[in-house]
Amino acid sequence: MSAPAVASTDSLRTPLLQMLLGASVISSSAVFVRWVQIGPAASAFWRMALAALILFAVVGRPWQRGRLRDWRPDARTLGLVMLGAAFLALDLWLWHRSILYVGVGLSTLLANFQVFVLAGVGALWLGEHTSWRLWTGLVMGLLGLGLLLAPGWGGMDARFRLGVVYGLGAALAYGGFLLAFRAAQARRGRTPNEALQWWLCLGCAIMLGASVPFGGESLWPTSAHDWLILFAYAAVAQVLGWLVIGRAMPLLPAGIVGLCLLLQPLLAYVWDVLLFGKRLGAIELIGLALSLAGIFLGLARGDQPLFSARRDAA
């Protein structure tokens, strides 16, 4: 009777390692935003524009073996992808500002509250079953967030408070993106997932590029250092991280998926401490633990991966 259990464990080992790798990789996203010396909308534009180039030239290669035809989704699928691109552009516009205003760790934690956005939409409009885990996780997450923000809140300036609002707004926008992109993936037919991601990156880049002048930012990096960081941001965080996660996620139980994804906000705090001198007191550490535990409960619903069909491209 032991052989099947061993086989089952072995079958999970590779996707588990892939999930851990992918979550670790994407945890670096906010670090790149802090390092680059251009505006938040401009850095978001280059993330998506360079990722589109990489996906087209390196990953997809649609010109080979007559694959170009399969890279053309039908009109409804493309419309859903473009709707997702609009939400993702708004998410990145808000999140990049939150990173600069409140720091790498807190901004990433705030954006991960999209878990509850998705679960709430599923429960209220899509008729999905909800359990005590969701509501308990939401309460724990909010209590933890309160503990993280409470120390010194009265002394925090308007910029910091605006950054918190931006982070929560990014969570809402990210939830909208995930719902739209999930619907596109469900009806993509023969269109490869890499193609949907390419259309997503292209649409998102166009929208973000159009927004840059309105924020008084310069679109073009002025140094080789910035170009290197932006290319690494696109290649590592957007292409590598989410391709790895997207392939591993459907193969793992929801609890394992949720636990692995907690590496993103947790490691973001680690990078904030190591690279940017962030310091957390005892109350803030308790708040961080509560928020992470709450997000985990929100992720771990039922026996199937909550994100099996939708978090392949962010």
Side-chain angles (χ1 to χ4, degrees):
M1 297 296 292
S2 59
V6 172
S8 176
T9 302
D10 289 343
S11 67
L12 292 178
R13 184 172 301 152
T14 296
L16 175 59
L17 291 175
Q18 289 175 338
M19 273 296 303
L20 291 172
L21 172 63
S24 300
V25 166
I26 65 172
S27 74
S28 66
S29 297
V31 173
F32 292 115
V33 177
R34 281 288 302 272
W35 274 343
V36 72
Q37 299 299 310
I38 62 175
S43 61
F45 163 79
W46 286 111
R47 165 180 169 162
M48 305 309 291
L50 292 173
L53 290 174
I54 295 169
L55 281 168
F56 191 85
V58 179
V59 179
R61 300 187 295 276
W63 59 86
Q64 293 183 354
R65 299 185 298 278
R67 297 177 63 194
L68 185 59
R69 181 178 64 255
D70 293 338
W71 272 55
R72 299 171 182 167
D74 64 80
R76 184 174 178 184
T77 301
L78 184 58
L80 288 169
V81 171
M82 290 299 107
L83 177 62
F87 277 116
L88 183 57
L90 178 59
D91 163 63
L92 291 174
W93 193 95
L94 293 167
W95 184 52
H96 279 206
R97 281 165 171 76
S98 181
I99 292 168
L100 299 178
Y101 293 180
V102 304
V104 168
L106 181 57
S107 63
T108 304
L109 180 67
L110 290 169
N112 272 269
F113 273 71
Q114 55 82 15
V115 169
F116 303 113
V117 174
L118 261 154
V121 170
L124 296 175
W125 284 287
L126 302 181
E128 295 181 356
H129 173 70
T130 58
S131 70
W132 65 269
R133 291 184 181 89
L134 169 63
W135 306 114
T136 304
L138 178 58
V139 171
M140 289 174 62
L142 291 175
L143 285 175
L145 184 60
L147 290 176
L148 272 168
L149 296 176
W153 176 260
M156 294 171 183
D157 59 19
R159 176 184 168 96
F160 184 94
R161 297 182 184 188
L162 184 59
V164 172
V165 174
Y166 280 161
L168 293 174
L172 289 170
Y174 195 66
F177 151 68
L178 292 172
L179 289 168
F181 197 70
R182 178 185 189 179
Q185 285 186 311
R187 54 168 292 116
R188 64 186 174 96
R190 295 179 57 187
T191 306
N193 187 55
E194 291 85 354
L196 290 189
Q197 292 195 44
W198 179 78
W199 285 105
L200 176 75
C201 290
L202 182 64
C204 194
I206 292 171
M207 296 174 198
L208 285 166
S211 75
V212 168
F214 296 98
E217 300 177 29
S218 173
L219 181 64
W220 294 96
T222 57
S223 68
H225 173 265
D226 283 347
W227 278 114
L228 180 62
I229 291 176
L230 289 169
F231 185 83
Y233 184 25
V236 173
Q238 182 65 36
V239 178
L240 174 62
W242 287 110
L243 282 179
V244 171
I245 286 177
R247 290 169 181 170
M249 200 175 287
L251 305 176
L252 295 170
I256 295 177
V257 168
L259 190 59
C260 291
L261 286 177
L262 283 187
L263 273 179
Q264 184 188 5
L266 182 60
L267 285 179
Y269 266 99
V270 172
W271 308 142
D272 212 356
V273 170
L274 294 179
L275 300 175
F276 305 108
K278 176 72 175 179
R279 294 292 179 264
L280 294 173
I283 293 178
E284 292 168 305
L285 286 172
I286 294 172
L288 174 60
L290 267 177
S291 290
L292 292 174
I295 290 172
F296 173 68
L297 280 178
L299 285 165
R301 306 188 313 161
D303 299 323
Q304 299 300 318
L306 177 61
F307 298 100
S308 60
R310 56 112 174 136
R311 195 166 182 174
D312 294 337

